[in-house]
Amino acid sequence: MTSTLSLIRRAALGTTAVAAALVLAACGGDNGSDTGSGARTSASASAEDTVGAHSDQDVSFAQDMIPHHQQAIQMSRMAASQASSAEVKDLAARIDKAQDPEIETMSGWLESWGEDVPSSMPGMDHGGDSGSSNMPGMMDTEDMDELMKASGKGFDTMFLTMMVEHHEGAVEMAVIEKDKGQYGPAKKLADDIITAQNAEIEEMNKLLGKS
């Protein structure tokens, strides 16, 4: 009798142990699955944040540089019919060719960020006064009107003088973006602007007879 009870007790204990092991295994599997899924989700979100990470500085850079570029392009297109120097016409054409695609690039960033994209508004076609004081190197309406009326060598000198100042302002803006911006492509564009426009400033100063 004692032997029979002992066997029954052993069988019961064995069944309990198996059941406990199964429960632990199931719980362990659930926890492992949840942890893995959570880690994958977190890693994915982190990667997305890193790719599209941008700051207010990046937004300001794009929103200010677009109208700054637009004015440089407008000035450059005057050179086609008003400049007398082939060197000035060539420089102006290069400025137009380089800056127009940059405007498209920065506009794309702003659209993807859900931010306002600056556009040329009525009354702003010659640069305008609105917002100009916040952007270094921007010409005001009077400056642009004088440039539009100029021609020949007078235009060449005025264009080069104004564009040097304009480029210096763009470089100043780009340096701030390079130092304080967060969005990688914007910082890269800022670096490109610094390199290209400093080279053009040197070229323009030579054309003006400055060392």
Side-chain angles (χ1 to χ4, degrees):
M1 185 68 173
T2 301
S3 177
T4 301
L5 289 173
S6 178
L7 289 172
I8 293 171
R9 190 179 294 112
R10 289 175 183 172
L13 287 172
T15 301
T16 302
V18 171
L22 289 173
V23 170
L24 287 172
C27 290
D30 288 344
N31 288 338
S33 177
D34 289 346
T35 301
S37 176
R40 286 193 298 272
T41 301
S42 176
S44 177
S46 177
E48 290 175 1
D49 290 344
T50 300
V51 170
H54 67 281
S55 65
D56 290 343
Q57 166 58 37
D58 300 315
V59 174
S60 295
F61 170 70
Q63 288 181 332
D64 288 348
M65 194 61 80
I66 286 173
H68 204 276
H69 272 18
Q70 286 173 335
Q71 187 178 71
I73 289 172
Q74 184 181 12
M75 293 167 66
S76 295
R77 290 177 180 175
M78 292 182 194
S81 59
Q82 294 169 240
S84 64
S85 166
E87 289 87 353
V88 169
K89 290 184 178 183
D90 176 67
L91 171 66
R94 283 186 275 122
I95 290 172
D96 188 346
K97 185 177 180 179
Q99 295 194 18
D100 199 35
E102 291 176 352
I103 290 173
E104 293 297 321
T105 296
M106 290 184 286
S107 297
W109 294 342
L110 291 171
E111 288 173 359
S112 69
W113 297 336
E115 301 287 350
D116 293 336
V117 179
S119 59
S120 181
M121 302 297 291
M124 289 286 286
D125 289 342
H126 301 318
D129 296 316
S130 177
S132 296
S133 60
N134 296 326
M135 288 179 273
M138 284 287 280
M139 301 297 113
D140 60 23
T141 303
E142 183 178 350
D143 293 328
M144 294 297 284
D145 284 343
E146 287 184 10
L147 186 63
M148 182 168 283
K149 294 174 184 176
S151 61
K153 292 183 178 179
F155 174 89
D156 294 346
T157 300
M158 190 180 299
F159 171 82
L160 292 170
T161 302
M162 287 184 177
M163 193 61 81
V164 166
E165 181 181 348
H166 202 273
H167 272 27
E168 288 173 343
V171 169
E172 181 180 334
M173 293 160 65
V175 167
I176 294 172
E177 170 62 20
K178 185 178 177 181
D179 291 344
K180 299 182 179 180
Q182 182 178 352
Y183 188 56
K187 290 166 69 72
K188 174 63 168 60
L189 176 59
D191 190 48
D192 291 343
I193 288 172
I194 293 168
T195 300
Q197 298 206 19
N198 272 332
E200 289 172 350
I201 288 170
E202 183 177 353
E203 179 181 353
M204 289 186 286
N205 279 328
K206 286 181 179 179
L207 290 173
L208 285 167
K210 299 179 181 179
S211 58

